[in-house]
Amino acid sequence: MADQIEQELIQNSRIFYENYLPGAVTRLRNQSLAQVVGVGDKEDALEGLDRNQLIDAVRKFLFDWKSNGGSVDALFEEAAERNDFRVQAPSEIYVTPFPMVLRCSKCGALENHDKPKRAPELVLTSAQGRITGSGGNANIRCNRKGCHGLMHQVPYVVVHRCGHITAITVPPAARGHIALGLRANTGMYRQNMFFDMTTDENVSGATTDLCPTCSVNSANSGKNFPPLQKGTPVGGGDAFFPQVLQFVALSKTPGQLVSSVQCELARLAEGGGLTGRAKDLAEGVAFGLLGCIDSLALQSQLLQILEGGTATPEELGQIHAEREKLEQDIVKLEALIAAGTDLGSILDISKEKLSKLISKSGASEGTFLAVRHFIDRDDVLLELIKQRRTMEAVLLRHDVGRQGLQPSIDATVDPTIRASRTQDWRDVQDMFGVQDIAHIPDLKVVLSAVGFTREKREPERSPDEVPVKLNPFEDRVRSSAKGKAVLYALSAQTEALWIKLDSLKVLNWCVHSAGWETPPPEALASRAAAQAYLLKNSPILTQPPGQAAELTKALGAQIAAPFHLLHTISHTLMLTARRHSGYDSQTLTEYILPMDLSFLIYVTSVQNYTAGGLLTLFQHYLRRWFDDASLHAYNCAFDPICSDVGSACPGCIQISRGCETFNVGVSRSYLHGGYADKGQSLWIPKGFWQA
């Protein structure tokens, strides 16, 4: 039977999001059912993929998964600890027939239903020997006397959220019958009925047993979990949920810088406290995050701090004298340039000399001490630099071909179009609280399938339930992959929009609509000061999005409001982009940078994809896009029910896949007012987008 399956062509993107990775059960084009048992490796597709960045992203995914209530297979834990993942790019997919429980379409007789201990290879060989015909006419005939009907696989599997899977199980009431048949129903699993073929009497409906794996674990742990398995049709969606992550990849130099900073922080953890070189690095990253220094210049200085040694007291005195003189020269050069003198090249050389001079002084020199005017707390600086996304928000600015909206408008040749775009941009800034929007034509994205779950996609659970388990892919074809935690990954270049909110408007909204206390006047003196105040007073902004659910519970919806506002805007824009770009919400993915009050919306693709749909939106339909997003978030087809439970449901702003918090916290109320959570603990009197 296995050699009767013809080759099929599958799009790369479907491999990651549908039933095509090891552990999945899928229906093939010849209508036979099969389980994926292995995936070929296309090594050249991994060229340019930074393994360190991928492993860092996977570790963060595993941490977030457990933080949200899910469990993780021990193989993942060991692989993450030893950095022992096997990374492959999927190509050929190998399958084997499953389930091998057969039913006659004419008389209903069952085969292979009561032989759980029989080797699957023997069952497969026996069925293969009975195949008659070839190609599309290949079939297996019923061997019941006088019938000769055609045998088909029973299209049901029994699964549990721990990852256990079997073919349809025979209920205890039907196990004593020698000749057993099944009255098949193509609807729900429990609507199927077993009957005795000798008497034609129904003996039992289709039921499921307790999960054998969870029953053992429950007995050993002394916990009273309800480990009941679930019967589901093949292709019904409950038998296999691939867990996929996507992340923005930096190029080689900034990627190595991030890794070096993480290593420096690991050494810091042993000594405790924000001191030495790590202190300078944290201050520098925060300085760049607040927009006080160009990201390219920051990268250069951070690298020099990492490479710099420790100077003696005598050397430090000489360095200080040279540095003071050089800084005075730079001030004079900048004044002359402002007056019209062409001394730009000399200024660049002087700044480079100053940067090298600073690096000679070694650690704790206070290179970025000015950031203390905005953030004077070590705990905030430490949390910021610990997060990879903080450095991504800073370094990505020069690592891609980023074009801001104002430069794009200035480059518009037609004066009428330029005037129209200028007015639209002013309206978007004033009405929707946006500071900047940029188009990125060359965003580097990595797509990776980490593992899979059964029965449920999301990790959240109630305390008395069996946790949803993240299972590793098991490749039973390639011997080199046995016993390894396999990651399937592909990298691509795609287009994106980078949208940043105005920190001053966000802070004012928090005060007037989210119940925050009035900040001191200096916090409203500039956007950098407002952003720093938000970071200090809303810890959820200094953490990755995967921690949003737990932090919201700990901090309360009021303190978490800036993050959920940002996230809600991301959803509304994704859900309304199709009209103006051609990309629907299934084609777009979000990447939230909470510490920057910004997010990326990019095209989900596993191939280089720069069709320009987002560029068209960016250049011609920006105001209309935001108007559509605001209207979309105004009400829901399921109101008033939706509004009574937090103003968020699949009918309005929740998205089916790709959400970084599994839709936790988003609410239309942040934009147009109302209760922002199910518990109705936060009332928003005026939404961020209300006139």
Side-chain angles (χ1 to χ4, degrees), residues 446-494:
V446 175
L447 176 70
S448 178
V450 181
F452 68 90
T453 62
R454 302 200 194 275
E455 190 178 321
K456 291 186 70 177
R457 184 186 298 275
E458 293 82 11
E460 70 270 16
R461 66 180 177 91
S462 63
D464 295 330
E465 287 185 332
V466 175
V468 180
K469 187 176 183 180
L470 181 64
N471 297 278
F473 298 113
E474 181 184 1
D475 194 321
R476 288 152 40 190
V477 175
R478 300 171 64 88
S479 58
S480 59
K482 291 183 178 179
K484 296 279 189 179
V486 181
L487 304 175
Y488 296 106
L490 285 174
S491 61
Q493 184 170 291
T494 186

Side-chain angles (χ1 to χ4, degrees), residues 62-273:
L62 298 179
F63 180 81
D64 292 343
W65 182 269
K66 291 188 291 184
S67 297
N68 282 279
S71 68
V72 172
D73 188 272
L75 187 61
F76 279 128
E77 304 276 11
E78 296 173 4
E81 184 178 345
R82 303 195 310 263
N83 194 8
D84 194 24
F85 290 99
R86 181 178 179 85
V87 183
Q88 296 182 351
S91 55
E92 296 88 359
I93 298 173
Y94 303 98
V95 300
T96 187
F98 180 85
M100 278 307 298
V101 178
L102 305 180
R103 175 186 176 274
C104 177
S105 59
K106 183 178 180 181
C107 69
L110 286 176
E111 293 183 10
N112 307 325
H113 59 281
D114 57 351
K115 302 178 176 63
K117 296 183 180 180
R118 188 178 177 188
E121 294 80 7
L122 297 178
V123 175
L124 184 60
T125 302
S126 174
Q128 189 172 0
R130 293 169 52 196
I131 294 177
T132 59
S134 60
N137 296 320
N139 54 65
I140 299 176
R141 296 254 174 209
C142 178
N143 57 10
R144 188 172 175 81
K145 186 176 180 180
C147 178
H148 304 297
L150 299 181
M151 304 297 292
H152 297 282
Q153 293 164 281
V154 177
Y156 297 100
V157 290
V158 179
V159 299
H160 192 246
R161 62 184 62 180
C162 73
H164 187 263
I165 183 171
T166 63
I168 189 171
T169 57
V170 179
R175 289 172 187 168
H177 297 264
I178 298 175
L180 197 63
L182 182 69
R183 304 190 199 280
N185 187 300
T186 55
M188 295 179 61
Y189 174 84
R190 294 182 180 276
Q191 292 177 343
N192 291 268
M193 185 66 66
F194 291 90
F195 70 97
D196 189 326
M197 299 198 67
T198 59
T199 63
D200 199 40
E201 293 182 356
N202 294 337
V203 294
S204 178
T207 60
T208 58
D209 297 328
L210 297 181
C211 176
T213 303
C214 291
S215 296
V216 173
N217 294 338
S218 179
N220 293 338
S221 64
K223 296 181 180 179
N224 186 25
F225 286 143
L228 186 66
Q229 299 177 104
K230 181 178 182 180
T232 180
V234 172
D238 296 331
F240 187 78
F241 293 106
Q243 296 297 330
V244 178
L245 68 86
Q246 283 191 297
F247 67 92
V248 175
L250 298 170
S251 59
K252 185 176 180 180
T253 300
Q256 290 176 344
L257 174 59
V258 173
S259 298
S260 299
V261 170
Q262 297 304 313
C263 291
E264 190 69 32
L265 290 176
R267 287 192 288 270
L268 174 67
E270 300 174 1

Side-chain angles (χ1 to χ4, degrees), residues 448-638:
S448 178
V450 181
F452 68 90
T453 62
R454 302 200 194 275
E455 190 178 321
K456 291 186 70 177
R457 184 186 298 275
E458 293 82 11
E460 70 270 16
R461 66 180 177 91
S462 63
D464 295 330
E465 287 185 332
V466 175
V468 180
K469 187 176 183 180
L470 181 64
N471 297 278
F473 298 113
E474 181 184 1
D475 194 321
R476 288 152 40 190
V477 175
R478 300 171 64 88
S479 58
S480 59
K482 291 183 178 179
K484 296 279 189 179
V486 181
L487 304 175
Y488 296 106
L490 285 174
S491 61
Q493 184 170 291
T494 186
E495 67 167 333
L497 291 178
W498 192 342
I499 300 168
K500 180 176 174 62
L501 299 187
D502 188 323
S503 56
L504 278 169
K505 293 188 176 181
V506 172
L507 179 54
N508 275 305
W509 175 83
C510 287
V511 173
H512 294 104
S513 294
W516 283 32
E517 294 182 0
T518 303
E522 56 268 22
L524 299 171
S526 66
R527 285 173 174 156
Q531 184 175 346
Y533 185 87
L534 287 165
L535 292 171
K536 289 185 292 184
N537 290 275
S538 183
I540 194 172
L541 293 175
T542 65
Q543 301 295 320
Q547 300 299 306
E550 292 301 314
L551 285 171
T552 301
K553 292 178 184 177
L555 301 171
Q558 186 181 56
I559 298 301
F563 172 82
H564 295 307
L565 167 67
L566 178 72
H567 193 189
T568 299
I569 292 174
S570 172
H571 276 215
T572 57
L573 291 175
M574 277 196 297
L575 288 164
T576 53
R578 181 172 185 173
R579 177 184 174 189
H580 308 298
S581 68
Y583 303 132
D584 61 19
S585 59
Q586 299 295 317
T587 311
L588 299 172
T589 300
E590 66 181 0
Y591 197 78
I592 305 174
L593 300 162
M595 56 285 298
D596 189 48
L597 291 178
S598 68
F599 56 89
L600 295 168
I601 293 178
Y602 63 91
V603 181
T604 303
S605 176
V606 291
Q607 296 175 336
N608 290 341
Y609 194 83
T610 52
L614 292 181
L615 178 60
T616 301
L617 188 157
F618 174 74
Q619 292 178 334
H620 302 290
Y621 302 108
L622 206 61
R623 166 67 188 276
R624 297 181 192 176
W625 183 31
F626 275 83
D627 284 340
D628 287 349
S630 179
L631 183 62
H632 178 84
Y634 188 72
N635 53 27
C636 174
F638 296 106

